[in-house]
Structures are given as C-alpha cells and as structure tokens.
Coordinates of all heavy atoms in Angstrom, one line a residue:
M132 N -4.1 78.7 149.2 CA -5.1 77.9 148.7 C -6.2 77.5 149.6 O -7.3 77.5 149.2 CB -4.2 76.5 148.3 CG -5.2 75.5 147.7 SD -5.6 75.9 146.0 CE -6.4 74.4 145.6
E133 N -5.9 77.4 150.9 CA -6.9 77.1 151.8 C -7.8 78.2 152.0 O -9.0 77.9 152.3 CB -6.1 76.8 153.2 CG -7.2 76.3 154.3 CD -6.5 75.8 155.5 OE1 -5.4 75.3 155.5 OE2 -7.2 76.1 156.6
L134 N -7.4 79.5 151.9 CA -8.1 80.6 152.0 C -9.2 80.6 150.9 O -10.3 81.0 151.2 CB -7.4 81.9 152.0 CG -8.0 83.2 152.1 CD1 -8.9 83.3 153.5 CD2 -7.1 84.4 152.0
V135 N -8.8 80.3 149.7 CA -9.8 80.1 148.6 C -10.9 79.2 148.8 O -12.0 79.4 148.6 CB -9.1 80.0 147.3 CG1 -10.0 79.7 146.1 CG2 -8.0 81.1 147.0
L136 N -10.4 78.1 149.4 CA -11.4 77.0 149.6 C -12.4 77.4 150.8 O -13.6 77.1 150.6 CB -10.8 75.7 150.0 CG -10.1 75.0 148.9 CD1 -9.2 73.7 149.5 CD2 -11.0 74.6 147.8
N137 N -11.8 78.1 151.8 CA -12.9 78.6 152.8 C -13.7 79.6 152.3 O -15.0 79.6 152.7 CB -12.0 79.2 154.0 CG -11.3 78.2 154.8 OD1 -11.7 76.9 154.8 ND2 -10.2 78.5 155.4
R138 N -13.3 80.5 151.4 CA -14.3 81.5 150.8 C -15.2 80.8 150.1 O -16.4 81.2 150.1 CB -13.5 82.4 150.0 CG -12.7 83.6 150.7 CD -12.1 84.5 149.8 NE -11.3 85.5 150.5 CZ -10.5 86.4 149.9 NH1 -10.5 86.3 148.5 NH2 -9.8 87.2 150.6
R139 N -14.9 79.8 149.3 CA -15.8 79.1 148.5 C -17.0 78.4 149.3 O -18.2 78.5 149.0 CB -15.1 78.0 147.6 CG -16.0 77.5 146.5 CD -15.3 76.7 145.5 NE -14.6 77.6 144.7 CZ -13.5 77.2 144.0 NH1 -13.0 76.2 144.1 NH2 -13.0 78.1 143.2
R140 N -16.5 77.9 150.5 CA -17.5 77.1 151.4 C -18.3 78.2 152.0 O -19.5 77.9 152.1 CB -16.6 76.4 152.5 CG -16.2 75.1 152.1 CD -15.7 74.3 153.3 NE -14.5 73.6 152.8 CZ -13.3 73.6 153.4 NH1 -13.2 74.3 154.5 NH2 -12.3 72.9 152.9
V141 N -17.8 79.3 152.4 CA -18.6 80.4 152.9 C -19.7 80.9 151.9 O -20.9 81.1 152.2 CB -17.8 81.5 153.4 CG1 -18.6 82.8 153.8 CG2 -17.0 81.1 154.7
R142 N -19.2 81.0 150.7 CA -20.1 81.6 149.6 C -21.2 80.5 149.3 O -22.3 80.8 149.2 CB -19.3 81.9 148.4 CG -20.1 82.6 147.3 CD -19.4 82.9 146.1 NE -19.3 81.7 145.4 CZ -18.5 81.4 144.3 NH1 -17.8 82.6 143.8 NH2 -18.4 80.4 143.6
D143 N -20.8 79.3 149.3 CA -21.9 78.2 149.1 C -22.9 78.1 150.2 O -24.1 78.0 149.9 CB -21.2 76.8 149.1 CG -20.4 76.6 147.7 OD1 -20.5 77.5 146.8 OD2 -19.5 75.8 147.7
K144 N -22.4 78.3 151.4 CA -23.3 78.4 152.6 C -24.3 79.6 152.5 O -25.5 79.5 152.7 CB -22.6 78.4 154.0 CG -22.1 77.1 154.4 CD -21.5 77.2 155.7 CE -21.6 76.0 156.4 NZ -21.1 76.2 157.8
D145 N -23.6 80.8 152.1 CA -24.5 81.9 151.9 C -25.4 81.8 150.9 O -26.6 82.2 150.9 CB -23.6 83.1 151.5 CG -22.7 83.6 152.7 OD1 -23.0 83.3 153.9 OD2 -21.7 84.5 152.5
A146 N -25.1 81.1 149.7 CA -26.0 80.9 148.6 C -27.2 80.0 149.0 O -28.4 80.2 148.7 CB -25.3 80.3 147.5
D147 N -26.9 78.9 149.8 CA -27.8 78.1 150.3 C -28.8 79.0 151.4 O -30.0 78.7 151.2 CB -27.3 76.9 151.1 CG -26.6 75.9 150.2 OD1 -26.7 76.0 148.8 OD2 -25.9 75.0 150.6
G148 N -28.3 79.7 152.2 CA -29.1 80.5 153.0 C -30.0 81.5 152.3 O -31.1 81.6 152.7
M149 N -29.5 82.1 151.1 CA -30.4 82.9 150.3 C -31.5 82.2 149.7 O -32.5 82.7 149.6 CB -29.4 83.5 149.4 CG -28.5 84.7 149.8 SD -27.7 85.7 148.5 CE -26.3 84.6 148.4
A150 N -31.2 80.9 149.3 CA -32.2 80.1 148.7 C -33.3 79.8 149.6 O -34.6 80.0 149.4 CB -31.7 78.8 148.1
V151 N -33.0 79.5 150.8 CA -34.0 79.1 151.9 C -34.6 80.6 152.3 O -36.0 80.4 152.4 CB -33.3 78.6 153.2 CG1 -34.2 78.4 154.3 CG2 -32.7 77.2 152.8
A152 N -34.0 81.5 152.4 CA -34.7 82.8 152.8 C -35.6 83.2 151.7 O -36.7 83.8 151.9 CB -33.6 84.0 153.1
A153 N -35.3 83.1 150.4 CA -36.1 83.4 149.4 C -37.4 82.6 149.5 O -38.5 83.2 149.2 CB -35.4 83.2 148.0
F154 N -37.3 81.4 149.7 CA -38.5 80.5 149.8 C -39.4 81.0 150.9 O -40.6 81.1 150.8 CB -38.1 79.0 150.0 CG -39.2 78.1 150.3 CD1 -40.2 77.9 149.3 CD2 -39.4 77.6 151.6 CE1 -41.1 76.9 149.5 CE2 -40.5 76.7 151.8 CZ -41.4 76.4 150.8
V155 N -38.8 81.2 152.1 CA -39.6 81.6 153.3 C -40.2 83.0 153.0 O -41.4 83.1 153.4 CB -38.7 81.6 154.6 CG1 -39.4 82.3 155.8 CG2 -38.2 80.2 154.9
L156 N -39.4 83.9 152.6 CA -40.0 85.3 152.3 C -41.2 85.2 151.2 O -42.2 85.9 151.4 CB -38.9 86.3 151.9 CG -37.9 86.6 152.9 CD1 -36.9 87.4 152.4 CD2 -38.6 87.4 154.1
G157 N -40.9 84.4 150.2 CA -42.0 84.3 149.2 C -43.3 83.7 149.7 O -44.4 84.1 149.5
L158 N -43.1 82.7 150.6 CA -44.2 82.1 151.2 C -45.0 83.1 152.2 O -46.3 83.2 152.2 CB -43.9 80.8 152.0 CG -44.8 79.7 152.3 CD1 -45.5 79.3 151.1 CD2 -44.1 78.6 153.0
L159 N -44.2 83.8 153.0 CA -44.8 84.8 153.9 C -45.4 85.9 153.1 O -46.5 86.5 153.6 CB -43.7 85.3 154.8 CG -43.3 84.5 156.0 CD1 -42.2 85.1 156.8 CD2 -44.5 84.1 156.9
G160 N -44.8 86.3 152.0 CA -45.3 87.3 151.2 C -46.7 87.1 150.7 O -47.4 88.0 150.3
L161 N -47.1 85.9 150.5 CA -48.4 85.5 150.0 C -49.5 86.0 151.1 O -50.7 86.2 150.8 CB -48.6 84.1 149.8 CG -47.9 83.6 148.5 CD1 -48.1 82.1 148.4 CD2 -48.5 84.3 147.3
L162 N -49.2 86.1 152.4 CA -50.0 86.3 153.5 C -49.9 87.9 153.9 O -50.9 88.5 154.1 CB -49.8 85.4 154.7 CG -49.9 84.0 154.4 CD1 -49.4 83.2 155.6 CD2 -51.3 83.6 154.0
V163 N -48.7 88.3 153.9 CA -48.6 89.7 154.6 C -47.5 90.4 153.7 O -46.5 89.8 153.3 CB -48.2 89.7 156.1 CG1 -49.3 89.2 157.0 CG2 -46.9 88.9 156.3
M164 N -47.6 91.6 153.7 CA -46.5 92.5 153.1 C -45.9 92.1 151.8 O -44.7 92.1 151.6 CB -45.4 92.8 154.1 CG -45.8 93.5 155.3 SD -44.5 93.9 156.4 CE -43.3 92.7 156.4
N165 N -46.9 91.7 150.9 CA -46.4 91.3 149.6 C -45.6 92.2 148.6 O -44.8 91.9 147.9 CB -47.5 90.5 148.9 CG -48.7 91.4 148.8 OD1 -48.8 92.5 149.2 ND2 -49.8 90.7 148.2
V166 N -45.9 93.5 149.0 CA -45.2 94.6 148.3 C -43.8 94.7 148.7 O -43.0 95.0 147.9 CB -46.0 96.0 148.5 CG1 -45.7 96.5 149.9 CG2 -45.5 97.0 147.5
V167 N -43.4 94.2 149.8 CA -42.0 94.2 150.3 C -41.4 92.8 150.1 O -40.2 92.7 149.6 CB -41.9 94.8 151.8 CG1 -40.5 94.6 152.4 CG2 -42.4 96.1 151.9
L168 N -42.0 91.8 150.6 CA -41.5 90.5 150.6 C -41.3 89.9 149.3 O -40.4 89.0 149.0 CB -42.3 89.6 151.6 CG -42.3 90.0 153.1 CD1 -43.1 89.1 153.9 CD2 -40.8 90.1 153.6
G169 N -42.2 90.1 148.4 CA -42.1 89.6 147.0 C -40.8 90.0 146.3 O -40.2 89.1 145.9
P170 N -40.6 91.3 146.1 CA -39.3 91.7 145.5 C -38.1 91.2 146.2 O -37.0 90.8 145.6 CB -39.3 93.1 145.5 CG -40.8 93.5 145.5 CD -41.4 92.4 146.4
M171 N -38.1 91.1 147.5 CA -37.0 90.5 148.3 C -36.8 89.1 148.0 O -35.6 88.6 147.8 CB -37.2 90.7 149.8 CG -36.9 92.1 150.3 SD -37.4 92.4 152.0 CE -36.2 91.4 152.8
A172 N -37.9 88.3 147.8 CA -37.8 86.9 147.5 C -37.1 86.8 146.2 O -36.3 85.8 145.9 CB -39.1 86.2 147.6
I173 N -37.5 87.6 145.2 CA -37.0 87.5 143.9 C -35.5 87.7 143.7 O -34.8 87.0 143.1 CB -37.9 88.4 142.9 CG1 -39.2 88.0 142.8 CG2 -37.1 88.6 141.6 CD1 -40.2 88.9 142.1
V174 N -35.1 88.8 144.5 CA -33.7 89.1 144.5 C -32.8 88.1 145.2 O -31.7 87.7 144.6 CB -33.5 90.6 145.2 CG1 -32.1 90.7 145.4 CG2 -34.1 91.7 144.3
L175 N -33.3 87.6 146.3 CA -32.5 86.6 147.0 C -32.4 85.3 146.2 O -31.4 84.7 146.1 CB -33.1 86.4 148.3 CG -32.8 87.3 149.4 CD1 -33.6 87.0 150.7 CD2 -31.3 87.4 149.6
A176 N -33.5 84.9 145.5 CA -33.5 83.8 144.6 C -32.7 84.0 143.5 O -31.9 82.9 143.1 CB -34.9 83.4 144.2
G177 N -32.6 85.0 142.9 CA -31.8 85.3 141.7 C -30.3 85.2 142.2 O -29.4 84.7 141.4
L178 N -30.0 85.9 143.3 CA -28.5 85.7 143.8 C -28.2 84.3 144.1 O -27.1 83.9 143.9 CB -28.4 86.7 145.0 CG -28.4 88.2 144.8 CD1 -28.5 88.9 146.1 CD2 -27.2 88.6 143.9
A179 N -29.1 83.7 144.7 CA -28.8 82.3 145.1 C -28.5 81.4 143.9 O -27.5 80.6 143.8 CB -29.9 81.6 146.0
L180 N -29.3 81.6 142.8 CA -29.1 80.9 141.6 C -27.8 81.3 140.9 O -27.2 80.5 140.2 CB -30.3 81.0 140.7 CG -31.6 80.3 141.2 CD1 -32.8 80.8 140.3 CD2 -31.4 78.9 140.9
R181 N -27.4 82.6 141.0 CA -26.2 83.1 140.4 C -25.1 82.5 141.0 O -24.0 82.2 140.4 CB -26.2 84.6 140.5 CG -24.9 85.2 139.8 CD -25.0 86.6 139.8 NE -23.9 87.1 139.1 CZ -23.4 88.4 139.2 NH1 -24.1 89.3 140.0 NH2 -22.4 88.8 138.7
Y182 N -25.1 82.4 142.4 CA -24.0 81.8 143.1 C -24.0 80.3 143.2 O -23.2 79.7 143.9 CB -23.9 82.4 144.6 CG -23.5 83.9 144.6 CD1 -24.2 84.7 145.4 CD2 -22.6 84.3 143.7 CE1 -23.9 86.0 145.5 CE2 -22.2 85.7 143.8 CZ -22.9 86.5 144.7 OH -22.5 87.8 144.7
R183 N -24.8 79.7 142.4 CA -24.9 78.3 142.2 C -25.1 77.5 143.4 O -24.3 76.7 143.9 CB -23.8 77.8 141.5 CG -23.6 78.4 140.1 CD -22.4 77.9 139.4 NE -22.4 78.5 138.0 CZ -21.6 78.4 137.1 NH1 -20.7 77.4 137.2 NH2 -21.6 79.0 136.0
T184 N -26.3 77.7 144.1 CA -26.6 77.1 145.3 C -26.8 75.6 145.1 O -27.3 75.2 144.0 CB -27.9 77.8 145.9 OG1 -28.3 77.1 147.2 CG2 -29.0 77.7 144.9
S185 N -26.6 74.9 146.1 CA -27.0 73.4 146.0 C -28.5 73.2 146.3 O -29.0 72.1 146.0 CB -26.2 72.6 147.0 OG -26.6 73.0 148.3
R186 N -29.2 74.1 146.7 CA -30.7 74.1 146.9 C -31.5 74.8 145.8 O -32.2 75.8 146.0 CB -31.0 74.6 148.3 CG -30.4 73.9 149.3 CD -30.6 74.6 150.7 NE -30.0 73.8 151.7 CZ -30.4 73.6 152.9 NH1 -31.6 74.2 153.4 NH2 -29.7 73.0 153.8
R187 N -31.1 74.4 144.5 CA -31.8 75.0 143.3 C -33.2 75.0 143.4 O -33.9 76.0 143.0 CB -31.2 74.4 142.1 CG -29.6 74.7 141.9 CD -29.2 74.2 140.6 NE -29.7 74.7 139.5 CZ -29.5 75.9 138.9 NH1 -28.6 76.7 139.5 NH2 -30.0 76.3 137.8
G188 N -33.8 74.0 143.8 CA -35.3 73.8 143.9 C -35.8 74.9 144.8 O -37.0 75.4 144.4
R189 N -35.3 75.0 145.9 CA -35.9 76.0 146.8 C -35.6 77.4 146.3 O -36.6 78.2 146.5 CB -35.1 75.9 148.2 CG -36.0 76.3 149.3 CD -35.6 75.7 150.6 NE -36.1 74.3 150.8 CZ -35.5 73.5 151.6 NH1 -34.6 73.8 152.3 NH2 -36.2 72.3 151.7
A190 N -34.6 77.6 145.6 CA -34.4 79.0 145.1 C -35.4 79.2 143.9 O -36.0 80.3 143.8 CB -32.9 79.1 144.5
W191 N -35.7 78.2 143.2 CA -36.7 78.4 142.1 C -38.1 78.5 142.7 O -38.9 79.3 142.1 CB -36.7 77.2 141.1 CG -35.6 77.2 140.1 CD1 -34.5 76.5 140.0 CD2 -35.4 78.2 139.0 NE1 -33.7 76.9 138.9 CE2 -34.2 77.8 138.4 CE3 -36.3 79.2 138.5 CZ2 -33.8 78.5 137.1 CZ3 -35.8 79.9 137.4 CH2 -34.7 79.6 136.8
L192 N -38.4 77.9 143.8 CA -39.7 78.1 144.4 C -39.9 79.4 145.1 O -40.8 80.1 145.0 CB -39.9 77.0 145.6 CG -40.4 75.7 145.1 CD1 -40.4 74.7 146.3 CD2 -41.7 75.7 144.5
G193 N -38.6 79.9 145.6 CA -38.7 81.4 146.1 C -38.9 82.3 145.0 O -39.6 83.3 145.3
L194 N -38.3 82.1 143.9 CA -38.6 83.0 142.8 C -40.0 83.0 142.3 O -40.7 84.0 142.1 CB -37.6 82.6 141.6 CG -37.7 83.4 140.4 CD1 -37.2 84.8 140.7 CD2 -36.8 82.8 139.3
A195 N -40.5 81.8 142.3 CA -41.9 81.6 141.7 C -42.8 82.3 142.7 O -43.9 82.9 142.5 CB -42.3 80.1 141.6
L196 N -42.6 82.0 144.1 CA -43.5 82.6 145.1 C -43.4 84.2 145.2 O -44.3 84.8 145.4 CB -43.1 82.0 146.5 CG -43.5 80.6 146.7 CD1 -43.0 80.0 148.0 CD2 -45.1 80.5 146.8
G197 N -42.1 84.7 144.9 CA -42.0 86.1 144.8 C -42.8 86.7 143.7 O -43.4 87.8 143.8
I198 N -42.7 86.0 142.6 CA -43.6 86.5 141.4 C -45.0 86.4 141.7 O -45.8 87.2 141.5 CB -43.2 85.8 140.1 CG1 -41.7 86.1 139.7 CG2 -44.2 85.9 139.0 CD1 -41.2 85.2 138.6
A199 N -45.4 85.3 142.4 CA -46.8 85.1 142.9 C -47.3 86.2 143.8 O -48.3 86.6 143.7 CB -47.0 83.7 143.4
D200 N -46.4 86.6 144.7 CA -46.7 87.7 145.6 C -47.0 88.9 144.9 O -48.0 89.6 145.2 CB -45.5 88.0 146.5 CG -45.1 87.0 147.5 OD1 -46.0 86.0 147.7 OD2 -44.0 86.9 148.1
L201 N -46.3 89.3 143.8 CA -46.6 90.5 143.1 C -47.8 90.3 142.2 O -48.6 91.3 142.0 CB -45.3 90.8 142.2 CG -44.1 91.1 142.8 CD1 -42.9 91.5 141.9 CD2 -44.3 92.3 143.9
A202 N -48.1 89.1 141.8 CA -49.3 88.8 141.0 C -50.5 89.1 142.0 O -51.5 89.6 141.6 CB -49.3 87.5 140.5
V203 N -50.4 88.6 143.2 CA -51.6 88.7 144.2 C -51.6 90.2 144.5 O -52.8 90.7 144.6 CB -51.1 87.9 145.4 CG1 -52.0 88.4 146.6 CG2 -51.3 86.5 145.2
L204 N -50.6 90.9 144.6 CA -50.6 92.4 144.9 C -51.3 93.1 143.8 O -52.1 94.0 143.9 CB -49.3 93.0 145.1 CG -49.2 94.4 145.3 CD1 -49.9 94.9 146.5 CD2 -47.8 94.9 145.2
A205 N -50.9 92.7 142.4 CA -51.6 93.3 141.3 C -53.1 93.1 141.2 O -53.9 93.9 141.0 CB -50.9 92.9 140.0
G206 N -53.5 91.8 141.6 CA -54.9 91.5 141.6 C -55.7 92.2 142.7 O -56.7 92.7 142.5
L207 N -55.1 92.5 143.9 CA -55.7 93.2 144.9 C -55.8 94.7 144.5 O -56.8 95.3 144.9 CB -54.9 92.9 146.3 CG -55.0 91.6 146.8 CD1 -54.1 91.4 148.1 CD2 -56.4 91.4 147.2
V208 N -54.7 95.2 143.9 CA -54.8 96.6 143.5 C -55.9 96.8 142.5 O -56.6 97.8 142.6 CB -53.5 97.0 143.0 CG1 -53.6 98.4 142.3 CG2 -52.4 97.1 144.2
M209 N -56.0 95.9 141.5 CA -57.0 95.9 140.5 C -58.4 95.9 141.1 O -59.4 96.6 140.6 CB -56.8 95.0 139.4 CG -55.5 95.0 138.7 SD -55.4 96.5 137.7 CE -56.2 95.9 136.2
A210 N -58.7 95.0 142.1 CA -59.9 94.8 142.7 C -60.3 95.9 143.6 O -61.5 96.3 143.6 CB -60.0 93.5 143.4
D211 N -59.4 96.5 144.3 CA -59.7 97.4 145.4 C -59.3 98.8 145.0 O -59.7 99.7 145.6 CB -59.0 96.9 146.7 CG -59.6 97.4 147.9 OD1 -60.8 97.9 147.9 OD2 -59.0 97.4 149.0
G212 N -58.2 99.0 144.2 CA -57.8 100.3 143.8 C -56.8 100.9 144.9 O -56.3 102.0 144.7
T213 N -56.4 100.2 145.8 CA -55.3 100.6 146.8 C -54.3 99.6 147.0 O -54.4 98.5 146.5 CB -56.0 100.8 148.2 OG1 -56.4 99.6 148.8 CG2 -57.2 101.9 148.2
L214 N -53.2 100.0 147.7 CA -52.1 99.1 148.1 C -52.4 98.3 149.2 O -51.5 97.4 149.6 CB -50.8 99.9 148.1 CG -50.1 100.2 146.7 CD1 -48.9 101.0 147.0 CD2 -49.9 99.0 145.9
S215 N -53.4 98.6 150.0 CA -53.7 98.1 151.4 C -55.0 97.2 151.1 O -55.8 97.5 150.4 CB -53.8 99.0 152.4 OG -54.9 99.9 152.2
W216 N -55.0 96.1 151.8 CA -56.2 95.2 151.9 C -56.3 94.6 153.2 O -55.6 94.6 154.0 CB -56.0 94.3 150.7 CG -54.8 93.4 150.9 CD1 -53.6 93.6 150.5 CD2 -54.8 92.0 151.6 NE1 -52.8 92.5 150.9 CE2 -53.5 91.6 151.4 CE3 -55.8 91.3 152.2 CZ2 -53.2 90.3 152.0 CZ3 -55.4 90.0 152.6 CH2 -54.1 89.6 152.6
G217 N -57.6 94.3 153.3 CA -58.0 93.5 154.6 C -59.1 92.5 154.3 O -59.6 92.5 153.3
L218 N -59.3 91.7 155.3 CA -60.3 90.7 155.1 C -61.7 91.1 155.7 O -62.6 90.5 155.3 CB -59.9 89.3 155.9 CG -58.6 88.7 155.6 CD1 -58.3 87.6 156.5 CD2 -58.7 88.2 154.1
G219 N -61.7 92.1 156.4 CA -63.0 92.7 156.9 C -63.7 93.5 155.9 O -63.2 93.8 154.8
A220 N -65.0 93.9 156.2 CA -65.8 94.7 155.3 C -65.4 96.1 155.1 O -64.9 96.8 155.9 CB -67.3 94.6 155.7

C-alpha cells in the first residue's frame, strides 16, 4: 500500500514539474528556437494535464505558449520564406 502511495506522490511531482517545464519552454520558445521548444511545451503540457497536475493553470499556459510559438514560427516563415530569422537587416 505504501509503495502505491509513494508512486502516486512521485507521479504527482513529475506532473507538476512537467507543467512548470511546459510553461518555461513555451515562454522561451517565443524568443529562441520556437521550432523545437514549441512542440516540446505542447507535449509536456499535454502529459501534465493527462497526469492531473495540481498546477493546471501553468500547464494550460504552457500549452497556449507552445501553440503561440508555432504560430510565430508560421508567421515568420510566411514573411521570410525560411525557418531561420534574425533581427538585423
């Protein structure tokens, strides 16, 4: 019985960590490497929500930011025609 409770606590901590990681990766993805960090944020947020994290708001924000990362990438690709972009001329 105690082993099951310990596994559940570990899984809950893992889910909370995934929610926080999804949020951070989604936020960073808006600035750099959105082609990599956006999908990672989406996957981690989905897993955190599936494992019923106690930080649901952060997981939902990570999911939204991951989708925003891909939207920014799509906009940059449409404007520039490449997968790379820069602020200089």
Side-chain angles (χ1 to χ4, degrees):
M132 180 72 173
E133 187 175 324
L134 181 62
V135 172
L136 290 176
N137 285 338
R138 281 187 185 171
R139 188 168 291 154
R140 276 190 221 128
V141 168
R142 191 180 74 187
D143 291 346
K144 280 184 153 183
D145 288 345
D147 290 348
M149 284 188 274
V151 172
F154 174 72
V155 170
L156 290 176
L158 201 56
L159 284 175
L161 289 174
L162 302 173
V163 294
M164 296 191 319
N165 47 7
V166 70
V167 175
L168 297 179
M171 286 176 61
I173 292 170
V174 168
L175 284 173
L178 287 172
L180 290 170
R181 182 176 182 199
Y182 291 136
R183 299 183 182 182
T184 180
S185 61
R186 299 178 180 211
R187 292 182 62 78
R189 205 157 281 156
W191 281 109
L192 279 173
L194 183 66
L196 286 170
I198 293 170
D200 291 347
L201 296 179
V203 166
L204 176 66
L207 291 170
V208 168
M209 296 294 272
D211 207 12
T213 64
L214 284 177
S215 63
W216 58 277
L218 297 176

